[in-house]
Amino acid sequence: MEKILCKAKNMLRTDTINPVIENKSLSPKKQTISFNNPVYIVSSMSVVGQKEGKGPLKDYFDIVYLDDKLKEKTFEKAETIMLKKSIDGAIKKSGLEFTELDCMIGGDLLNQITSSQYVAREYSVPFLGVYSACSTMTESLILGSILIDGGYFNNVVCSTCSHFATAERQFRYPLEYGCQRPPYAQWTVTGAGSMVLSSKDNGDNIKIKQATLGKVIDFGTSDLNNMGAAMAPAACDTLVALFTETNTRPEDYDFIITGDLGKLGSDILRELIREKGFNLGKNYHDCGCLIFDITQKCYQGGSGAGCSATVVGSFILDKLKKGEIKNVAYLATGALMSSQSCYQGETIPCISHAVIIERC
């Protein structure tokens, strides 16, 4: 086991970066934006499957389904239902009427963001479909915050989802195949998360203060099972940009939480960012490590777009509401490969977007 994990870490030490990707002739661009007008998170809804409902955060999720198929014929239909349930629940908890909703933003992991498109047809609301793999939630929150900060809209719902069975079928092997998973693999979370952003506060005083847009980073990883190693450099790049451009350090945040690097990816991130002069202490956590425990045999932890969306939308927001923490740097991380690119010998480009959430 140790030899395999060490090999996975050492993949990042090889000179495999494409020189076209690492174009040093380009001048650095500012990645962080601050919102001048308040953008409040007024509600959230987290819906998860049976395995997630047995994990350490089981008491924080709004709905736990015991049947991952939800009595539907396919897992894909079940994923769509879970996403709609989370959107409906978030809107209801916000106290808004459906007619007050100005826009929906969201995506998922399936080809052509199928689940999100099929759910959007149920609402007579403008829809922006986005794809950023497992970093879809933070991308959605950033776009929603920009629309509200600019005065274009007042109420925006952001959402995403994933499902273990649908992700395995599309990116790896169908469950029926019974393929053995390597020890550095992660377990795609079956879950859907939604948050309602508004220009008006609901009394919780939780707002999105800033956002750091990520760049596409490719360190040459090509193993579809090794998502943590692939995404860690992107998380490092965005974190360094955040710290540098806001003149902050890790200790300035009560919580720094990445989307789903898992145990291996989190260890790699700590090593990479230490080389940049920053030390991630006890206030750094990863959603993939929080959502499952070691007894559930999920290898390196959770992954998937629904991973950070459900953890942040439940556990983290609950801590903010109670005043246990006051500011959070939330970085969802995404591997931007397609279901065919890696089989054609391509490496995995990755990205990480960050949002700073504060309790006023």
Side-chain angles (χ1 to χ4, degrees), residues 125-192:
V125 176
F127 172 68
L128 291 175
V130 298
Y131 179 80
S132 192
C134 301
S135 63
T136 295
M137 193 62 189
T138 45
E139 180 173 335
S140 300
L141 292 173
I142 291 171
L143 291 174
S145 298
I146 290 172
L147 291 173
I148 292 175
D149 178 61
Y152 302 105
F153 294 132
N154 290 316
N155 303 303
V156 177
V157 61
C158 303
S159 61
T160 190
C161 63
S162 57
H163 196 295
F164 174 71
T166 64
E168 290 300 304
R169 186 205 305 271
Q170 179 166 286
F171 293 105
R172 298 176 187 91
Y173 301 98
L175 300 186
E176 297 84 355
Y177 188 77
C179 183
Q180 184 174 353
R181 301 165 63 82
Y184 52 79
Q186 293 171 248
W187 192 279
T188 304
V189 165
T190 298

Side-chain angles (χ1 to χ4, degrees), residues 99-149:
T99 53
E100 298 178 89
L101 194 64
D102 297 312
C103 183
M104 297 173 60
I105 306 175
D108 52 85
L109 301 183
L110 298 186
N111 289 335
Q112 290 80 48
I113 55 173
T114 303
S115 297
S116 300
Q117 306 277 26
Y118 275 58
V119 170
R121 69 182 179 181
E122 302 294 324
Y123 304 89
S124 182
V125 176
F127 172 68
L128 291 175
V130 298
Y131 179 80
S132 192
C134 301
S135 63
T136 295
M137 193 62 189
T138 45
E139 180 173 335
S140 300
L141 292 173
I142 291 171
L143 291 174
S145 298
I146 290 172
L147 291 173
I148 292 175
D149 178 61

Side-chain angles (χ1 to χ4, degrees), residues 108-295:
D108 52 85
L109 301 183
L110 298 186
N111 289 335
Q112 290 80 48
I113 55 173
T114 303
S115 297
S116 300
Q117 306 277 26
Y118 275 58
V119 170
R121 69 182 179 181
E122 302 294 324
Y123 304 89
S124 182
V125 176
F127 172 68
L128 291 175
V130 298
Y131 179 80
S132 192
C134 301
S135 63
T136 295
M137 193 62 189
T138 45
E139 180 173 335
S140 300
L141 292 173
I142 291 171
L143 291 174
S145 298
I146 290 172
L147 291 173
I148 292 175
D149 178 61
Y152 302 105
F153 294 132
N154 290 316
N155 303 303
V156 177
V157 61
C158 303
S159 61
T160 190
C161 63
S162 57
H163 196 295
F164 174 71
T166 64
E168 290 300 304
R169 186 205 305 271
Q170 179 166 286
F171 293 105
R172 298 176 187 91
Y173 301 98
L175 300 186
E176 297 84 355
Y177 188 77
C179 183
Q180 184 174 353
R181 301 165 63 82
Y184 52 79
Q186 293 171 248
W187 192 279
T188 304
V189 165
T190 298
S194 299
M195 299 183 198
V196 175
L197 307 182
S198 179
S199 59
K200 296 181 179 179
D201 187 22
N202 65 341
D204 289 335
N205 297 315
I206 298 174
K207 68 177 183 179
I208 296 178
K209 178 185 177 183
Q210 293 168 315
T212 300
L213 281 65
K215 296 181 292 185
V216 176
I217 306 293
D218 190 338
F219 262 49
T221 303
S222 58
D223 190 341
L224 282 171
N225 287 294
N226 201 358
M227 294 292 95
M231 296 186 293
C236 177
D237 186 84
T238 301
L239 260 181
V240 171
L242 171 64
F243 294 149
T244 304
E245 295 176 2
T246 60
N247 195 28
T248 59
R249 297 192 65 82
E251 54 268 26
D252 294 322
Y253 300 92
D254 295 331
F255 242 73
I256 298 174
I257 190 158
T258 47
D260 50 353
L261 298 179
K263 179 61 171 64
L264 173 60
S266 298
D267 290 344
I268 294 174
L269 173 60
R270 287 183 182 275
E271 292 182 13
L272 292 177
I273 205 163
R274 190 180 296 118
E275 295 173 1
K276 300 294 184 180
F278 300 98
N279 183 40
L280 296 179
K282 294 182 179 179
N283 59 340
Y284 167 61
H285 303 272
D286 181 77
C287 294
C289 296
L290 293 174
I291 196 166
F292 297 125
D293 63 37
I294 194 170
T295 65

Side-chain angles (χ1 to χ4, degrees), residues 1-12 184 226:
M1 169 75 83
E2 290 298 325
K3 290 182 179 180
I4 295 175
L5 298 185
C6 287
K7 181 180 178 181
K9 289 183 180 180
N10 289 335
M11 291 173 66
L12 296 177
Y184 52 79
N226 201 358

